Amino acid sequence: MTNTNNPRTILLLSFFVLFFFSYCEGGGGGERKGYDGGRTIKGMFVFGSSLVDNGNNNFLENSRAKADYLPYGIDFSLGPSGRFTNGKNVIDLLGHYLGLPSSIPPFFDPSTKGKKIIHGVDYASGGSGILDDTGSIAGNVISLNRQIKNFEEVTLPELRSLMAWRNGRKKDSLLDNYLFVVGSGGNDYSFNYFLTNSDPQINLQTFTANLTATLSTQLKKLYSLGARKMVLISVNPLGCSPMVRTNNKGQCIEILNQAAQMFNFNLKTLVDIIKPQMPLSNLVFLNSYNIINDIISQPASKGFIEAAMPCCEVPSLNEGGNGILCKNGGKTCPNRTNHVYFDGLHPTEAVNVLIASKAYGSQLETEVYPTNVLHLANI
């Protein structure tokens, strides 16, 4: 059951402490096997927020959105890596399905250069958004526009140089066999519209239309740089995260979910609208909202027990936390495979496994549209 309590009040309570909390206190590995049909993809370039951040915020000074401490990474082969979950995120798992030889390195890691960029780079930044001013409350984060600039100005010239002497590949076809994954938008609502918007003339519909238009421009920019295969990840059910439920007597907030659904409808529609404007491009819309919502609605049928509470200890405002991130060194639930959420906002690896597997092979248009990543990889 949901209700429509003022989301701004609850989000303000949850995020106000971000100005004060210190990040200092704040998956298994194994050999990767390629799957038939996935070998045509050479790598991935990843843009977005914490759900797809492979550790960029670790290297940002004055960022309060970090996951570089236990219990984050408790089930990851490398331990705490900056991924906002207990193990692998969706990007790690998609890379596995595609047969990539290693995980996608974060852009801001000083070692991400030379041969390490050949199979892709992750530019995502926890707390960031489609809009440049989203996430400022979390300190230093990298907006989607800046992420694209980092690809254009740093990685792309180096990749062109590397690939030129390797095989003489033509400049205009260099990126044909790379996936460009974009997962952003949720923070533009949680950290921006519902938190700071004070202009009554900017209603939810107007904000969402502007947000979609901005993303459309950004996707066209990636296309102009050579992107031809794109995966667009939806916004998750914002109103049913543990962060929201904890501050709302255990209930979801419908207006937050409505905002996510509105954006996701626009994003799916954008796939059809923008394709004719970008010849030879192919796009997939991954509806993680529906996938997670199905789990939340009937957790037992998907192998889960707890869909409302976080697996790790998440300190409240009164306890010196922010209601989102795990306590540094805090305890976790004994069975992390049956929890939907690891902290106050981010899914467990178990949920990421379902999202990635459906992204790769689902035949349902309610989950992937107009096709899946396996088919996209072979186009």
PDB file of all heavy atoms in Angstrom, residues 323-356:
ATOM      1  N   GLY A 323      20.620   7.853   6.272  1.00  0.00           N
ATOM      2  CA  GLY A 323      19.491   7.049   5.841  1.00  0.00           C
ATOM      3  C   GLY A 323      19.681   6.366   4.499  1.00  0.00           C
ATOM      4  O   GLY A 323      18.764   5.716   4.003  1.00  0.00           O
ATOM      5  N   ILE A 324      20.872   6.517   3.914  1.00  0.00           N
ATOM      6  CA  ILE A 324      21.134   5.934   2.594  1.00  0.00           C
ATOM      7  C   ILE A 324      22.270   4.925   2.655  1.00  0.00           C
ATOM      8  O   ILE A 324      22.101   3.755   2.332  1.00  0.00           O
ATOM      9  CB  ILE A 324      21.479   7.019   1.555  1.00  0.00           C
ATOM     10  CG1 ILE A 324      20.395   8.074   1.477  1.00  0.00           C
ATOM     11  CG2 ILE A 324      21.710   6.383   0.179  1.00  0.00           C
ATOM     12  CD1 ILE A 324      20.774   9.271   0.639  1.00  0.00           C
ATOM     13  N   LEU A 325      23.438   5.366   3.074  1.00  0.00           N
ATOM     14  CA  LEU A 325      24.638   4.547   3.007  1.00  0.00           C
ATOM     15  C   LEU A 325      24.818   3.676   4.251  1.00  0.00           C
ATOM     16  O   LEU A 325      24.360   3.998   5.345  1.00  0.00           O
ATOM     17  CB  LEU A 325      25.864   5.435   2.821  1.00  0.00           C
ATOM     18  CG  LEU A 325      25.896   6.262   1.532  1.00  0.00           C
ATOM     19  CD1 LEU A 325      27.177   7.084   1.467  1.00  0.00           C
ATOM     20  CD2 LEU A 325      25.762   5.375   0.299  1.00  0.00           C
ATOM     21  N   CYS A 326      25.524   2.566   4.045  1.00  0.00           N
ATOM     22  CA  CYS A 326      25.810   1.643   5.133  1.00  0.00           C
ATOM     23  C   CYS A 326      26.744   2.282   6.155  1.00  0.00           C
ATOM     24  O   CYS A 326      27.579   3.130   5.823  1.00  0.00           O
ATOM     25  CB  CYS A 326      26.488   0.380   4.597  1.00  0.00           C
ATOM     26  SG  CYS A 326      25.526  -0.609   3.441  1.00  0.00           S
ATOM     27  N   LYS A 327      26.624   1.838   7.374  1.00  0.00           N
ATOM     28  CA  LYS A 327      27.545   2.230   8.434  1.00  0.00           C
ATOM     29  C   LYS A 327      28.918   1.652   8.147  1.00  0.00           C
ATOM     30  O   LYS A 327      29.046   0.490   7.778  1.00  0.00           O
ATOM     31  CB  LYS A 327      27.031   1.720   9.781  1.00  0.00           C
ATOM     32  CG  LYS A 327      27.929   2.030  10.963  1.00  0.00           C
ATOM     33  CD  LYS A 327      27.346   1.436  12.240  1.00  0.00           C
ATOM     34  CE  LYS A 327      28.246   1.696  13.434  1.00  0.00           C
ATOM     35  NZ  LYS A 327      27.685   1.101  14.678  1.00  0.00           N
ATOM     36  N   ASN A 328      29.943   2.471   8.307  1.00  0.00           N
ATOM     37  CA  ASN A 328      31.313   2.010   8.074  1.00  0.00           C
ATOM     38  C   ASN A 328      31.636   0.862   9.031  1.00  0.00           C
ATOM     39  O   ASN A 328      31.610   1.021  10.249  1.00  0.00           O
ATOM     40  CB  ASN A 328      32.294   3.163   8.301  1.00  0.00           C
ATOM     41  CG  ASN A 328      33.702   2.816   7.841  1.00  0.00           C
ATOM     42  OD1 ASN A 328      34.025   1.664   7.609  1.00  0.00           O
ATOM     43  ND2 ASN A 328      34.540   3.827   7.714  1.00  0.00           N
ATOM     44  N   GLY A 329      31.914  -0.322   8.473  1.00  0.00           N
ATOM     45  CA  GLY A 329      32.217  -1.487   9.280  1.00  0.00           C
ATOM     46  C   GLY A 329      31.013  -2.115   9.948  1.00  0.00           C
ATOM     47  O   GLY A 329      31.163  -2.999  10.796  1.00  0.00           O
ATOM     48  N   GLY A 330      29.824  -1.671   9.574  1.00  0.00           N
ATOM     49  CA  GLY A 330      28.606  -2.158  10.198  1.00  0.00           C
ATOM     50  C   GLY A 330      28.255  -3.584   9.811  1.00  0.00           C
ATOM     51  O   GLY A 330      28.831  -4.166   8.886  1.00  0.00           O
ATOM     52  N   LYS A 331      27.289  -4.130  10.491  1.00  0.00           N
ATOM     53  CA  LYS A 331      26.848  -5.497  10.258  1.00  0.00           C
ATOM     54  C   LYS A 331      25.980  -5.576   9.005  1.00  0.00           C
ATOM     55  O   LYS A 331      25.442  -4.579   8.533  1.00  0.00           O
ATOM     56  CB  LYS A 331      26.064  -6.001  11.463  1.00  0.00           C
ATOM     57  CG  LYS A 331      26.863  -6.063  12.753  1.00  0.00           C
ATOM     58  CD  LYS A 331      25.980  -6.529  13.903  1.00  0.00           C
ATOM     59  CE  LYS A 331      26.747  -6.575  15.214  1.00  0.00           C
ATOM     60  NZ  LYS A 331      25.885  -6.989  16.353  1.00  0.00           N
ATOM     61  N   THR A 332      25.846  -6.788   8.498  1.00  0.00           N
ATOM     62  CA  THR A 332      24.952  -7.045   7.371  1.00  0.00           C
ATOM     63  C   THR A 332      24.038  -8.214   7.730  1.00  0.00           C
ATOM     64  O   THR A 332      24.288  -8.948   8.682  1.00  0.00           O
ATOM     65  CB  THR A 332      25.719  -7.392   6.078  1.00  0.00           C
ATOM     66  OG1 THR A 332      26.397  -8.643   6.266  1.00  0.00           O
ATOM     67  CG2 THR A 332      26.718  -6.312   5.724  1.00  0.00           C
ATOM     68  N   CYS A 333      22.996  -8.374   6.939  1.00  0.00           N
ATOM     69  CA  CYS A 333      22.097  -9.507   7.129  1.00  0.00           C
ATOM     70  C   CYS A 333      22.869 -10.800   6.839  1.00  0.00           C
ATOM     71  O   CYS A 333      23.803 -10.811   6.033  1.00  0.00           O
ATOM     72  CB  CYS A 333      20.887  -9.385   6.209  1.00  0.00           C
ATOM     73  SG  CYS A 333      21.289  -9.236   4.454  1.00  0.00           S
ATOM     74  N   PRO A 334      22.528 -11.898   7.497  1.00  0.00           N
ATOM     75  CA  PRO A 334      23.283 -13.145   7.315  1.00  0.00           C
ATOM     76  C   PRO A 334      23.173 -13.735   5.913  1.00  0.00           C
ATOM     77  O   PRO A 334      24.100 -14.385   5.441  1.00  0.00           O
ATOM     78  CB  PRO A 334      22.673 -14.088   8.370  1.00  0.00           C
ATOM     79  CG  PRO A 334      21.328 -13.510   8.683  1.00  0.00           C
ATOM     80  CD  PRO A 334      21.475 -12.031   8.529  1.00  0.00           C
ATOM     81  N   ASN A 335      22.034 -13.507   5.247  1.00  0.00           N
ATOM     82  CA  ASN A 335      21.850 -14.043   3.896  1.00  0.00           C
ATOM     83  C   ASN A 335      21.563 -12.897   2.942  1.00  0.00           C
ATOM     84  O   ASN A 335      20.425 -12.444   2.817  1.00  0.00           O
ATOM     85  CB  ASN A 335      20.708 -15.062   3.871  1.00  0.00           C
ATOM     86  CG  ASN A 335      20.605 -15.772   2.532  1.00  0.00           C
ATOM     87  OD1 ASN A 335      21.270 -15.400   1.567  1.00  0.00           O
ATOM     88  ND2 ASN A 335      19.775 -16.795   2.465  1.00  0.00           N
ATOM     89  N   ARG A 336      22.596 -12.455   2.262  1.00  0.00           N
ATOM     90  CA  ARG A 336      22.438 -11.281   1.383  1.00  0.00           C
ATOM     91  C   ARG A 336      21.759 -11.625   0.065  1.00  0.00           C
ATOM     92  O   ARG A 336      21.416 -10.735  -0.703  1.00  0.00           O
ATOM     93  CB  ARG A 336      23.815 -10.640   1.150  1.00  0.00           C
ATOM     94  CG  ARG A 336      24.381 -10.022   2.420  1.00  0.00           C
ATOM     95  CD  ARG A 336      25.784  -9.511   2.221  1.00  0.00           C
ATOM     96  NE  ARG A 336      26.783 -10.550   2.110  1.00  0.00           N
ATOM     97  CZ  ARG A 336      27.356 -11.176   3.141  1.00  0.00           C
ATOM     98  NH1 ARG A 336      26.989 -10.871   4.377  1.00  0.00           N
ATOM     99  NH2 ARG A 336      28.272 -12.103   2.963  1.00  0.00           N
ATOM    100  N   THR A 337      21.553 -12.914  -0.186  1.00  0.00           N
ATOM    101  CA  THR A 337      20.909 -13.306  -1.440  1.00  0.00           C
ATOM    102  C   THR A 337      19.395 -13.197  -1.376  1.00  0.00           C
ATOM    103  O   THR A 337      18.730 -13.290  -2.413  1.00  0.00           O
ATOM    104  CB  THR A 337      21.282 -14.756  -1.819  1.00  0.00           C
ATOM    105  OG1 THR A 337      20.782 -15.657  -0.817  1.00  0.00           O
ATOM    106  CG2 THR A 337      22.787 -14.916  -1.936  1.00  0.00           C
ATOM    107  N   ASN A 338      18.830 -13.018  -0.175  1.00  0.00           N
ATOM    108  CA  ASN A 338      17.364 -12.936  -0.108  1.00  0.00           C
ATOM    109  C   ASN A 338      16.865 -11.543   0.230  1.00  0.00           C
ATOM    110  O   ASN A 338      15.692 -11.347   0.518  1.00  0.00           O
ATOM    111  CB  ASN A 338      16.798 -13.975   0.864  1.00  0.00           C
ATOM    112  CG  ASN A 338      17.262 -13.777   2.300  1.00  0.00           C
ATOM    113  OD1 ASN A 338      17.590 -12.667   2.710  1.00  0.00           O
ATOM    114  ND2 ASN A 338      17.286 -14.870   3.066  1.00  0.00           N
ATOM    115  N   HIS A 339      17.764 -10.542   0.193  1.00  0.00           N
ATOM    116  CA  HIS A 339      17.385  -9.145   0.385  1.00  0.00           C
ATOM    117  C   HIS A 339      17.372  -8.421  -0.962  1.00  0.00           C
ATOM    118  O   HIS A 339      18.265  -8.632  -1.785  1.00  0.00           O
ATOM    119  CB  HIS A 339      18.361  -8.440   1.320  1.00  0.00           C
ATOM    120  CG  HIS A 339      17.996  -8.567   2.771  1.00  0.00           C
ATOM    121  ND1 HIS A 339      17.921  -9.783   3.410  1.00  0.00           N
ATOM    122  CD2 HIS A 339      17.684  -7.618   3.701  1.00  0.00           C
ATOM    123  CE1 HIS A 339      17.590  -9.593   4.678  1.00  0.00           C
ATOM    124  NE2 HIS A 339      17.428  -8.292   4.870  1.00  0.00           N
ATOM    125  N   VAL A 340      16.401  -7.571  -1.169  1.00  0.00           N
ATOM    126  CA  VAL A 340      16.322  -6.788  -2.401  1.00  0.00           C
ATOM    127  C   VAL A 340      17.308  -5.627  -2.360  1.00  0.00           C
ATOM    128  O   VAL A 340      18.005  -5.352  -3.331  1.00  0.00           O
ATOM    129  CB  VAL A 340      14.888  -6.266  -2.634  1.00  0.00           C
ATOM    130  CG1 VAL A 340      14.829  -5.354  -3.860  1.00  0.00           C
ATOM    131  CG2 VAL A 340      13.926  -7.436  -2.797  1.00  0.00           C
ATOM    132  N   TYR A 341      17.385  -4.952  -1.220  1.00  0.00           N
ATOM    133  CA  TYR A 341      18.246  -3.769  -1.095  1.00  0.00           C
ATOM    134  C   TYR A 341      19.412  -4.049  -0.151  1.00  0.00           C
ATOM    135  O   TYR A 341      19.243  -4.639   0.914  1.00  0.00           O
ATOM    136  CB  TYR A 341      17.447  -2.581  -0.566  1.00  0.00           C
ATOM    137  CG  TYR A 341      16.449  -2.041  -1.568  1.00  0.00           C
ATOM    138  CD1 TYR A 341      15.115  -2.449  -1.542  1.00  0.00           C
ATOM    139  CD2 TYR A 341      16.844  -1.129  -2.543  1.00  0.00           C
ATOM    140  CE1 TYR A 341      14.200  -1.962  -2.458  1.00  0.00           C
ATOM    141  CE2 TYR A 341      15.939  -0.633  -3.466  1.00  0.00           C
ATOM    142  CZ  TYR A 341      14.616  -1.048  -3.420  1.00  0.00           C
ATOM    143  OH  TYR A 341      13.717  -0.563  -4.331  1.00  0.00           O
ATOM    144  N   PHE A 342      20.600  -3.581  -0.548  1.00  0.00           N
ATOM    145  CA  PHE A 342      21.752  -3.726   0.327  1.00  0.00           C
ATOM    146  C   PHE A 342      21.823  -2.577   1.325  1.00  0.00           C
ATOM    147  O   PHE A 342      22.052  -2.788   2.505  1.00  0.00           O
ATOM    148  CB  PHE A 342      23.045  -3.787  -0.479  1.00  0.00           C
ATOM    149  CG  PHE A 342      24.245  -4.087   0.385  1.00  0.00           C
ATOM    150  CD1 PHE A 342      24.325  -5.278   1.090  1.00  0.00           C
ATOM    151  CD2 PHE A 342      25.283  -3.170   0.507  1.00  0.00           C
ATOM    152  CE1 PHE A 342      25.423  -5.555   1.910  1.00  0.00           C
ATOM    153  CE2 PHE A 342      26.376  -3.435   1.318  1.00  0.00           C
ATOM    154  CZ  PHE A 342      26.448  -4.636   2.021  1.00  0.00           C
ATOM    155  N   ASP A 343      21.633  -1.335   0.847  1.00  0.00           N
ATOM    156  CA  ASP A 343      21.595  -0.178   1.744  1.00  0.00           C
ATOM    157  C   ASP A 343      20.247   0.505   1.606  1.00  0.00           C
ATOM    158  O   ASP A 343      19.256  -0.127   1.245  1.00  0.00           O
ATOM    159  CB  ASP A 343      22.782   0.764   1.484  1.00  0.00           C
ATOM    160  CG  ASP A 343      22.785   1.355   0.067  1.00  0.00           C
ATOM    161  OD1 ASP A 343      21.772   1.200  -0.661  1.00  0.00           O
ATOM    162  OD2 ASP A 343      23.785   1.987  -0.310  1.00  0.00           O
ATOM    163  N   GLY A 344      20.197   1.798   1.864  1.00  0.00           N
ATOM    164  CA  GLY A 344      18.921   2.492   1.821  1.00  0.00           C
ATOM    165  C   GLY A 344      18.410   2.794   0.434  1.00  0.00           C
ATOM    166  O   GLY A 344      17.275   3.269   0.274  1.00  0.00           O
ATOM    167  N   LEU A 345      19.202   2.502  -0.599  1.00  0.00           N
ATOM    168  CA  LEU A 345      18.820   2.885  -1.952  1.00  0.00           C
ATOM    169  C   LEU A 345      19.216   1.878  -3.024  1.00  0.00           C
ATOM    170  O   LEU A 345      18.526   1.746  -4.030  1.00  0.00           O
ATOM    171  CB  LEU A 345      19.460   4.241  -2.286  1.00  0.00           C
ATOM    172  CG  LEU A 345      19.090   4.918  -3.602  1.00  0.00           C
ATOM    173  CD1 LEU A 345      17.597   5.244  -3.629  1.00  0.00           C
ATOM    174  CD2 LEU A 345      19.906   6.188  -3.801  1.00  0.00           C
ATOM    175  N   HIS A 346      20.310   1.173  -2.814  1.00  0.00           N
ATOM    176  CA  HIS A 346      20.902   0.366  -3.888  1.00  0.00           C
ATOM    177  C   HIS A 346      20.612  -1.123  -3.737  1.00  0.00           C
ATOM    178  O   HIS A 346      20.694  -1.673  -2.632  1.00  0.00           O
ATOM    179  CB  HIS A 346      22.417   0.597  -3.922  1.00  0.00           C
ATOM    180  CG  HIS A 346      22.792   2.037  -4.030  1.00  0.00           C
ATOM    181  ND1 HIS A 346      23.140   2.799  -2.929  1.00  0.00           N
ATOM    182  CD2 HIS A 346      22.849   2.864  -5.102  1.00  0.00           C
ATOM    183  CE1 HIS A 346      23.407   4.043  -3.324  1.00  0.00           C
ATOM    184  NE2 HIS A 346      23.236   4.099  -4.639  1.00  0.00           N
ATOM    185  N   PRO A 347      20.312  -1.804  -4.850  1.00  0.00           N
ATOM    186  CA  PRO A 347      20.000  -3.237  -4.809  1.00  0.00           C
ATOM    187  C   PRO A 347      21.208  -4.097  -4.442  1.00  0.00           C
ATOM    188  O   PRO A 347      22.364  -3.687  -4.601  1.00  0.00           O
ATOM    189  CB  PRO A 347      19.538  -3.538  -6.240  1.00  0.00           C
ATOM    190  CG  PRO A 347      19.208  -2.217  -6.847  1.00  0.00           C
ATOM    191  CD  PRO A 347      20.123  -1.233  -6.194  1.00  0.00           C
ATOM    192  N   THR A 348      20.913  -5.299  -3.981  1.00  0.00           N
ATOM    193  CA  THR A 348      21.949  -6.286  -3.728  1.00  0.00           C
ATOM    194  C   THR A 348      22.431  -6.883  -5.055  1.00  0.00           C
ATOM    195  O   THR A 348      21.798  -6.721  -6.099  1.00  0.00           O
ATOM    196  CB  THR A 348      21.421  -7.432  -2.856  1.00  0.00           C
ATOM    197  OG1 THR A 348      20.268  -8.014  -3.512  1.00  0.00           O
ATOM    198  CG2 THR A 348      21.019  -6.934  -1.476  1.00  0.00           C
ATOM    199  N   GLU A 349      23.542  -7.615  -4.969  1.00  0.00           N
ATOM    200  CA  GLU A 349      24.031  -8.318  -6.148  1.00  0.00           C
ATOM    201  C   GLU A 349      22.975  -9.275  -6.674  1.00  0.00           C
ATOM    202  O   GLU A 349      22.842  -9.450  -7.898  1.00  0.00           O
ATOM    203  CB  GLU A 349      25.313  -9.087  -5.818  1.00  0.00           C
ATOM    204  CG  GLU A 349      25.857  -9.876  -7.005  1.00  0.00           C
ATOM    205  CD  GLU A 349      27.054 -10.745  -6.651  1.00  0.00           C
ATOM    206  OE1 GLU A 349      26.842 -11.890  -6.199  1.00  0.00           O
ATOM    207  OE2 GLU A 349      28.185 -10.269  -6.828  1.00  0.00           O
ATOM    208  N   ALA A 350      22.217  -9.896  -5.777  1.00  0.00           N
ATOM    209  CA  ALA A 350      21.195 -10.859  -6.204  1.00  0.00           C
ATOM    210  C   ALA A 350      20.176 -10.216  -7.139  1.00  0.00           C
ATOM    211  O   ALA A 350      19.743 -10.824  -8.124  1.00  0.00           O
ATOM    212  CB  ALA A 350      20.489 -11.452  -4.981  1.00  0.00           C
ATOM    213  N   VAL A 351      19.792  -8.980  -6.856  1.00  0.00           N
ATOM    214  CA  VAL A 351      18.873  -8.252  -7.730  1.00  0.00           C
ATOM    215  C   VAL A 351      19.590  -7.845  -9.019  1.00  0.00           C
ATOM    216  O   VAL A 351      19.020  -7.946 -10.121  1.00  0.00           O
ATOM    217  CB  VAL A 351      18.298  -7.015  -7.012  1.00  0.00           C
ATOM    218  CG1 VAL A 351      17.502  -6.146  -7.981  1.00  0.00           C
ATOM    219  CG2 VAL A 351      17.412  -7.452  -5.853  1.00  0.00           C
ATOM    220  N   ASN A 352      20.845  -7.421  -8.902  1.00  0.00           N
ATOM    221  CA  ASN A 352      21.612  -7.048 -10.086  1.00  0.00           C
ATOM    222  C   ASN A 352      21.760  -8.214 -11.052  1.00  0.00           C
ATOM    223  O   ASN A 352      21.767  -8.034 -12.273  1.00  0.00           O
ATOM    224  CB  ASN A 352      22.993  -6.522  -9.680  1.00  0.00           C
ATOM    225  CG  ASN A 352      22.931  -5.183  -8.975  1.00  0.00           C
ATOM    226  OD1 ASN A 352      22.012  -4.399  -9.192  1.00  0.00           O
ATOM    227  ND2 ASN A 352      23.903  -4.913  -8.117  1.00  0.00           N
ATOM    228  N   VAL A 353      21.870  -9.427 -10.498  1.00  0.00           N
ATOM    229  CA  VAL A 353      21.950 -10.628 -11.346  1.00  0.00           C
ATOM    230  C   VAL A 353      20.686 -10.757 -12.180  1.00  0.00           C
ATOM    231  O   VAL A 353      20.749 -11.041 -13.400  1.00  0.00           O
ATOM    232  CB  VAL A 353      22.165 -11.885 -10.482  1.00  0.00           C
ATOM    233  CG1 VAL A 353      21.930 -13.152 -11.302  1.00  0.00           C
ATOM    234  CG2 VAL A 353      23.576 -11.908  -9.902  1.00  0.00           C
ATOM    235  N   LEU A 354      19.536 -10.558 -11.564  1.00  0.00           N
ATOM    236  CA  LEU A 354      18.277 -10.658 -12.299  1.00  0.00           C
ATOM    237  C   LEU A 354      18.166  -9.573 -13.361  1.00  0.00           C
ATOM    238  O   LEU A 354      17.750  -9.834 -14.494  1.00  0.00           O
ATOM    239  CB  LEU A 354      17.098 -10.563 -11.331  1.00  0.00           C
ATOM    240  CG  LEU A 354      16.810 -11.799 -10.482  1.00  0.00           C
ATOM    241  CD1 LEU A 354      15.633 -11.540  -9.555  1.00  0.00           C
ATOM    242  CD2 LEU A 354      16.505 -13.005 -11.367  1.00  0.00           C
ATOM    243  N   ILE A 355      18.545  -8.350 -13.006  1.00  0.00           N
ATOM    244  CA  ILE A 355      18.459  -7.244 -13.964  1.00  0.00           C
ATOM    245  C   ILE A 355      19.357  -7.510 -15.165  1.00  0.00           C
ATOM    246  O   ILE A 355      18.947  -7.357 -16.317  1.00  0.00           O
ATOM    247  CB  ILE A 355      18.835  -5.912 -13.293  1.00  0.00           C
ATOM    248  CG1 ILE A 355      17.813  -5.542 -12.214  1.00  0.00           C
ATOM    249  CG2 ILE A 355      18.926  -4.791 -14.331  1.00  0.00           C
ATOM    250  CD1 ILE A 355      18.213  -4.341 -11.384  1.00  0.00           C
ATOM    251  N   ALA A 356      20.593  -7.927 -14.897  1.00  0.00           N
ATOM    252  CA  ALA A 356      21.542  -8.166 -15.991  1.00  0.00           C
ATOM    253  C   ALA A 356      21.111  -9.334 -16.865  1.00  0.00           C
ATOM    254  O   ALA A 356      21.221  -9.278 -18.097  1.00  0.00           O
ATOM    255  CB  ALA A 356      22.936  -8.409 -15.419  1.00  0.00           C
TER     256      ALA A 356
END
